[in-house]
Amino acid sequence: MTQAEVARTLKRELGDSISQAYLSQIESGARPHMTNQTRMLLARFFKVHPGYLVSDPDGFHTELTSDVSALEDKLDLWLIQGAERFRRDPEVSKALLALARHPESRRCLVLMREILETPNLVERLLQVLKPETSAPERPSARRGERRPS
């Protein structure tokens, strides 16, 4: 595929975009480092592990233990794989992809735990952020009273 075809297909298939000029810079070596977001997007597109798209840095040794960013990359890849598994549920798939794209996906998951453990916070957040998805109101027990529409 040409760079222009990759850029168009990325937009059409994954809903994200990378310019042809940016792809050219990556391919020619003019831009030696990609952002994590770009690497994850290209990895999803080409269906490869994100590490496949980058060279090991000078002095890299496989026997070294991984750092937090390597663990976060594994988390992001796991989230992307989860999004693929849930592609029939677009809301869940989009949520997992948004989490994987976030530069601090681990912190987002930790925050999610805190939200879930705080009584009534999930329902309050849903009412404010996505009122159409919050739990429907129950009919009133009093006779003749109507639910608001």
Side-chain angles (χ1 to χ4, degrees), residues 30-139:
R31 182 179 291 269
H33 303 288
M34 286 183 271
T35 64
N36 187 50
Q37 182 177 352
T38 298
R39 185 166 41 101
M40 299 304 280
L41 179 62
L42 290 173
R44 270 190 330 171
F45 179 74
F46 289 113
K47 295 177 179 32
V48 297
H49 186 277
Y52 180 78
L53 299 173
V54 294
S55 300
D56 293 333
D58 292 335
F60 175 80
H61 299 284
T62 56
E63 65 273 5
L64 295 175
T65 59
S66 61
D67 62 354
V68 173
S69 65
L71 292 174
E72 188 138 340
D73 286 348
K74 286 182 183 180
L75 174 60
D76 292 341
L77 181 60
W78 179 76
L79 290 165
I80 290 168
Q81 290 168 344
E84 287 297 315
R85 285 186 175 161
F86 282 91
R87 66 180 168 263
R88 290 188 179 156
D89 186 341
E91 288 296 310
V92 171
S93 183
K94 288 176 187 176
L96 291 170
L97 288 175
L99 186 54
R101 283 189 207 110
H102 194 279
E104 297 188 49
S105 52
R106 182 187 174 283
R107 286 184 68 204
C108 291
L109 281 173
V110 172
L111 174 62
M112 177 60 68
R113 182 194 70 221
E114 296 302 322
I115 290 170
L116 293 171
E117 291 179 355
T118 303
N120 302 316
L121 185 55
V122 170
E123 187 58 38
R124 289 192 322 241
L125 286 171
L126 279 172
Q127 288 172 352
V128 172
L129 300 174
K130 291 199 125 238
E132 70 278 359
T133 63
S134 61
E137 290 187 35
R138 293 187 181 139

